Amino acid sequence: MTRKIVVTSALPYANGPIHIGHLVEYLQTDIWVRFQKLCGNSCLYFCADDTHGTPVMIRAKQEGITPEQLIERVRGEHLRDFTGFGIEFDNYYSTHSPENRQFSERIYQGAKDRGSIVKRGIEQAYCEEDRMWLPDRYIKGTCPKCQAPDQYGDSCDVCGAHYRPTELINPYSSLSGKTPVWKNSTHIFFRLSDYETQLRNLMDAGYVQPQVRNKMEEWFQAGLKDWDISRDGPYFGFAIPGETDKYFYVWLDAPIGYMASCKNYCDRNGLDFERVWNGGEYELYHFIGKDIMYFHALFWPATLLAAGYRTANKLFVHGFLTVNGQKMSKSKGTFITAETYLRHLDPEYLRYYYASKLAPGVDDLDLSFEDFVFKVNADLVGKFANLASRSVPMITKKLGGRVGRIDEAGRRLLAALQAAKDSIVADYESLNYSAAVRTIVALADECNQYVDNHKPWSTIDADPEGTRTVLTTVVNAVRYLTIYLKPILPGFAAKVETCLEVPPLTIADIATVFEDRPIRPFERLAERVDKDKVAVMVEESKEQSQPAASTPAVPEAAPVVPQLAEPLEPVCTIEDFSKVDLRIARIARAEAVEGADKLLKLELDLGALNKQVFAGIAKAYTPEQLVGRLVVCVANLQPRKMRFGVSDGMVLASGPGGKDVFLLAADSGAQPGQRVH
RNA sequence: GGCGGUGUAGCUCAGUUGGUUAGAGCGUGGGAUUCAUAAGCCUAAGGUCGGUGGUUCAAAUCCACCCGCCGCCA
């Protein structure tokens, strides 16, 4: 029976680029959607940019453009990045849309009619300089408990204390630097506790995974508190009807963006939104990260219930991405944007890698570059692509480009492939992609063993027809494997479909065989991933983040509290410091690097030894200026392989980069090779 | 700090309701091959299942405490 399904991914916020962390969710969702379509189900995938709120307003102001201009631009960038990764939305909309306003107002009215809207005054920080209310995260000051300076308005990073922003000592706006004043303002609250019973019923009905449910239980026991859904102007968002200068909090209208995107699609495609969203005919699933569980497991269903809308069948919660076992880091170059990735690597690699590690739980997923390279090369290329590559060309080159029929031995192999269907389908359906991939890889192993056992390369001259039978079996095996992998690897699948000259493969094709047909010349299905390319991508991610880090948020404003553009690192002991072996070096040679406009290739004379170092100082120094100079270098830095060669150290310099780079020099008398203490 | 999640071979992960000698892939060593993208096949080595204590005939699995990592505290 054909199912009808609506799927959403969380809406990315419109003030930053898509990065490989975001992609865990969009790829997880896209694979599921493609899987449903492969199974012949009708599946609609909706998303949008989340556009409202203070950060967007401030960012637009900094860039000297309107919020509307900013969100339009960012939406285009986001969609470009998603498309680059093969993520196919049926509609990618915006929360700054007429549909979203309409649904927000309707849901608010629904809650009001149910008596779930209450008002009360709260005290909040107001900046008279910028004439705006300050969210807690924009207020900084000295921690009332441990006196640490420059802590955020809600908690202290140094001692971990929690407090109210009013308790901060010497509070200041992180935007203007001015001291805020405390003013009273009436806010509008949604009484979440009115929906506790209904929410609990939802949990009982299997709305979330068990791990998430435990967390829910904790929240229920703590008691559901009223939710502040209003913000005072100026605020980039929807005005609240019947109020003066009050706007819906961004988190109220963000998930409503799912509905808006769906409505917009329905209107453009002749579908009845009420039927699709509310009719019960369609299943509805939301994919989200565990950081926004609270909003999607409590507020969102509660507001829908308030307005009489249906809630989702299930929430699929996933964990975060770590890179090489750690949080993504700009300084380590592991904060990799989708755009940067696509400039260096094939998106199918990441799709395969994530799929090979995704499970239904909320565990974090680790992207280890070493593992990434091995896995892509061993499985994707060595097992799948190579299986086709070692058999199909023999048919096109030596057997007239035609597959024949399959014999008994071939049928046994193919039967094993067919028999795996139910388990693979079940694994995809339950988001256990890693299990599906394990099964598929094991099948590919069997296929490769089959090829080795039948040695078509040694029989082809003596027994061409027998060999054709063997190779026909392999082609059929490749076809089945491709079907199983298609949700994960759409590009790979498209190449196989072209080679076989067949219409898009579906799961139903598992029941059929491919015999007595011509095939087209073989095109390589996937290239090996070069680990140097990964290294270059990481290197580039480091370079990109430097200017951003050194650009002050608001250049004109002079902060009252002194702050370094680059904050101090945590304390380092003398032992830590002694690990860094600094040496005086004389620049023996310097030359420009072809193909890199920031790099100079330096040969450093350290007395007894010479080192080759690539330094990102070409914008600031010409090679001629450098030869003969004494500099300080990190002599025991782990060598790094770059596109242009190995860099075996680093010369010390200050400055934000670009033209503003200032090399450290040594007073005369210092000798190359001397250690700096 | 409170709470939730998590910790299994060098790496990434499976381990069903507690039940023989704890598995897979990658990586590493050895072997036989050479059709194929230095891919594929055969084979070997590798683990006190975070720690301690407990329940049990039996614990990676259940319980308590501790340690590490991730997150939430609206």
Side-chain angles (χ1 to χ4, degrees):
Chain A
M1 199 180 91
T2 304
R3 291 160 66 189
K4 292 183 173 175
I5 306 170
V6 170
V7 173
T8 70
S9 293
L11 314 187
Y13 198 54
N15 81 335
I18 301 302
H19 54 68
I20 55 174
H22 289 111
L23 288 169
V24 172
E25 175 168 318
Y26 301 95
L27 291 178
Q28 182 186 38
T29 315
D30 186 67
I31 289 167
W32 204 71
V33 170
R34 285 177 183 272
F35 159 71
Q36 295 299 347
K37 289 177 175 169
L38 185 79
C39 290
N41 295 325
S42 157
C43 189
L44 297 170
Y45 181 14
F46 298 129
C47 197
D49 256 22
D50 176 18
T51 59
H52 292 150
T54 310
V56 161
M57 193 169 75
I58 289 169
R59 170 89 181 268
K61 195 174 164 189
Q62 282 168 0
E63 294 193 17
I65 56 178
T66 64
E68 286 82 358
Q69 288 171 318
L70 173 68
I71 63 172
E72 188 52 38
R73 189 192 76 211
V74 172
R75 181 174 166 278
E77 291 166 0
H78 285 179
L79 193 52
R80 172 203 66 198
D81 292 342
F82 288 136
T83 305
F85 274 92
I87 295 158
E88 279 186 349
F89 300 109
D90 288 282
N91 194 23
Y92 193 82
Y93 206 41
S94 167
T95 59
H96 196 62
S97 65
E99 294 91 338
N100 210 45
R101 180 190 298 273
Q102 183 197 336
F103 285 126
S104 299
E105 292 177 356
R106 197 180 290 173
I107 283 173
Y108 173 68
Q109 190 60 44
K112 212 171 169 181
D113 293 345
R114 298 261 306 240
S116 297
I117 296 296
V118 293
K119 291 184 182 179
R120 64 170 172 269
I122 63 164
E123 194 172 53
Q124 223 199 330
Y126 183 81
C127 178
E128 294 186 316
E129 171 87 6
D130 284 335
R131 284 189 294 189
M132 64 176 281
W133 299 85
L134 294 171
D136 290 356
R137 53 179 288 206
Y138 288 97
I139 306 165
K140 293 179 111 181
T142 301
C143 171
K145 200 167 175 186
C146 76
Q147 321 296 317
D150 305 325
Q151 295 307 308
Y152 286 104
D154 51 352
S155 66
C156 174
D157 278 344
V158 178
C159 72
H162 284 258
Y163 40 75
R164 306 180 63 85
T166 44
E167 298 173 53
L168 280 175
I169 302 165
N170 298 325
Y172 64 93
S173 159
S174 66
L175 300 170
S176 68
K178 301 284 185 203
T179 306
V181 296
W182 301 96
K183 290 178 30 174
N184 207 283
S185 164
T186 300
H187 274 230
I188 298 169
F189 292 80
F190 175 77
R191 205 159 55 210
L192 184 62
S193 53
D194 289 354
Y195 303 88
E196 177 166 349
T197 307
Q198 286 171 284
L199 289 171
R200 279 183 178 276
N201 290 343
L202 210 54
M203 299 307 149
D204 290 341
Y207 185 63
V208 293
Q209 297 110 298
Q211 300 95 322
V212 178
R213 195 177 168 176
N214 289 341
K215 192 71 195 171
M216 294 290 118
E217 197 49 44
E218 176 195 333
W219 283 332
F220 282 124
Q221 276 171 16
L224 301 179
K225 292 180 195 159
D226 293 351
W227 182 34
D228 184 352
I229 57 166
S230 74
R231 291 295 183 270
D232 292 306
Y235 190 81
F236 182 56
F238 294 136
I240 300 181
E243 304 290 336
T244 308
D245 206 26
K246 295 207 181 295
Y247 296 82
F248 288 123
Y249 175 43
V250 56
W251 261 112
L252 181 91
D253 69 63
I256 295 172
Y258 301 142
M259 298 171 84
S261 187
C262 177
K263 172 83 161 78
N264 177 260
Y265 175 87
C266 289
D267 289 350
R268 289 190 289 108
N269 289 277
L271 285 171
D272 178 3
F273 169 79
E274 282 301 322
R275 224 176 124 181
V276 171
W277 187 271
N278 240 11
E281 187 180 346
Y282 283 75
E283 301 163 46
L284 173 62
Y285 301 100
H286 300 305
F287 285 75
I288 62 163
K290 63 182 178 182
D291 52 330
I292 54 175
M293 264 160 35
Y294 204 94
F295 294 101
H296 282 80
L298 299 178
F299 295 145
W300 172 232
T303 49
L304 287 170
L305 289 165
Y309 285 108
R310 65 88 64 93
T311 54
N313 298 64
K314 271 187 166 70
L315 212 54
F316 292 134
V317 184
H318 61 81
F320 290 107
L321 178 74
T322 55
V323 181
N324 297 328
Q326 293 181 306
K327 261 190 209 180
M328 292 198 298
S329 141
K330 289 191 175 173
S331 64
K332 291 194 177 76
T334 53
F335 191 97
I336 298 166
T337 63
E339 188 195 6
T340 304
Y341 177 99
L342 289 173
R343 267 209 308 279
H344 297 276
L345 299 171
D346 186 336
E348 304 253 317
Y349 299 158
L350 197 69
R351 292 183 68 104
Y352 179 76
Y353 186 75
Y354 282 174
S356 78
K357 304 192 74 164
L358 274 165
V362 295
D363 305 327
D364 289 350
L365 185 155
D366 187 53
L367 165 59
S368 145
F369 290 130
E370 189 193 16
D371 188 42
F372 174 82
V373 171
F374 284 139
K375 207 160 217 165
V376 167
N377 287 344
D379 296 349
L380 184 57
V381 179
K383 289 180 178 172
F384 302 131
N386 189 48
L387 179 66
S389 190
R390 68 192 298 205
S391 48
V392 176
M394 253 188 273
I395 298 175
T396 51
K397 286 178 186 164
K398 294 195 166 176
L399 295 175
R402 232 188 134 74
V403 297
R405 301 191 71 86
I406 300 159
D407 65 359
E408 198 44 48
R411 266 180 229 293
R412 274 200 298 278
L413 175 72
L414 297 179
L417 283 151
Q418 291 171 313
K421 186 184 92 171
D422 289 347
S423 123
I424 292 170
V425 165
D427 284 335
Y428 271 121
E429 177 69 32
S430 62
L431 302 177
N432 203 351
Y433 304 162
S434 57
V437 169
R438 271 197 302 278
T439 305
I440 301 167
V441 171
L443 292 172
D445 285 343
E446 284 187 47
C447 296
N448 277 307
Q449 286 160 21
Y450 175 88
V451 176
D452 271 80
N453 290 340
H454 288 82
K455 300 183 175 41
W457 60 91
S458 66
T459 60
I460 193 155
D461 293 323
D463 178 16
E465 288 315 308
T467 306
R468 189 194 303 279
T469 303
V470 168
L471 292 174
T472 299
T473 301
V474 179
V475 168
N476 274 270
V478 168
R479 178 167 166 271
Y480 290 153
L481 290 173
T482 301
I483 293 167
Y484 290 143
L485 287 168
K486 194 174 172 183
I488 299 168
L489 302 171
F492 183 101
K495 285 182 187 171
V496 172
E497 286 160 357
T498 303
C499 179
L500 301 183
E501 283 194 289
V502 289
L505 292 162
T506 73
I507 200 80
D509 291 307
I510 292 290
T512 64
V513 288
F514 185 82
E515 290 180 314
D516 290 326
R517 285 183 54 130
I519 57 172
R520 298 176 57 176
F522 175 73
E523 185 191 351
R524 284 162 71 103
L525 300 174
E527 295 305 318
R528 302 178 64 74
V529 56
D530 178 354
K531 68 181 191 315
D532 293 346
K533 282 192 178 172
V534 176
V536 171
M537 176 178 80
V538 170
E539 207 49 46
E540 193 177 307
S541 298
K542 283 182 193 167
E543 285 170 13
Q544 278 185 340
S545 62
Q546 272 173 0
S550 62
T551 308
V554 183
E556 272 74 34
V560 268
V561 176
Q563 256 187 302
L564 294 170
E566 261 183 69
L568 289 180
E569 295 288 343
V571 170
C572 122
T573 63
I574 187 77
E575 286 78 12
D576 290 338
F577 175 70
S578 67
K579 287 184 194 162
V580 182
D581 195 334
L582 299 172
R583 300 282 171 153
I584 300 294
R586 184 185 305 281
I587 299 179
R589 278 216 316 241
E591 57 189 67
V593 178
E594 199 173 331
D597 52 9
K598 287 182 187 163
L599 291 180
L600 289 182
K601 181 175 167 184
L602 305 178
E603 188 176 327
L604 301 179
D605 169 12
L606 275 76
L609 78 155
N610 280 20
K611 277 179 171 286
Q612 171 179 288
V613 168
F614 288 90
I617 58 174
K619 292 259 168 74
Y621 295 91
T622 63
E624 296 73 39
Q625 289 173 304
L626 293 172
V627 176
R629 276 188 65 157
L630 288 179
V631 295
V632 181
C633 86
V634 184
N636 64 336
L637 191 67
Q638 181 167 35
R640 176 178 291 279
K641 189 164 182 188
M642 302 174 74
R643 192 182 348 186
F644 318 101
V646 173
S647 184
D648 185 19
M650 186 173 149
V651 295
L652 298 188
S654 69
K659 286 180 180 163
D660 295 319
V661 171
F662 310 97
L663 282 173
L664 267 65
D667 277 354
S668 57
Q671 293 299 318
Q674 281 178 343
R675 182 149 187 196
V676 180
H677 295 284

